[in-house]
Amino acid sequence: MTDRAFLVQLEGYGLTTAEICYFMPDYPSLLQIYAWQEYDAAPDFPVLFDFLAHWRREIEAEIRSVRIAHEKMIRPASWRSADGVISWE
């Protein structure tokens, strides 16, 4: 059985985190934060925008802002050579 997260990464999806700042109608002066995390495809973010559309339809909260961080987890390894010698006396 193959892990779903691994399969979606092979399809080009990367780990996406969104910080959603919102106000509830009964506490309009209290800014609240919701952290959302899922594998999604940048730069279009179809999974995140589906979630935000669901939020706007089903949740009685006004979204003030959304910050997005995205990291493609599977990629070629990166390395660099280091010139130098470390010695202990």
Side-chain angles (χ1 to χ4, degrees):
M1 182 172 213
T2 307
D3 184 29
R4 176 193 162 272
F6 178 69
L7 292 175
V8 296
Q9 288 178 63
L10 290 177
E11 294 174 8
Y13 284 59
L15 188 61
T16 303
T17 303
E19 176 190 78
I20 303 167
C21 297
Y22 65 96
F23 296 101
M24 293 296 291
D26 47 349
Y27 296 101
S29 62
L30 179 63
L31 181 65
Q32 300 184 54
I33 297 174
Y34 179 80
W36 175 92
Q37 195 170 54
E38 184 61 69
Y39 288 96
D40 207 349
D44 298 328
F45 300 108
V47 179
L48 174 59
F49 288 125
D50 283 348
F51 173 76
L52 293 174
H54 167 78
W55 178 299
R56 289 184 182 104
R57 277 191 321 271
E58 304 295 331
I59 299 174
E60 293 183 26
E62 178 186 340
I63 295 175
R64 181 174 186 266
S65 65
V66 178
R67 288 196 315 171
I68 303 169
H70 176 79
E71 176 64 30
K72 192 166 185 145
M73 303 293 281
I74 295 180
R75 60 182 178 261
S78 61
W79 67 277
R80 63 178 193 174
S81 64
D83 293 328
V85 176
I86 299 173
S87 62
W88 284 268
E89 295 182 33

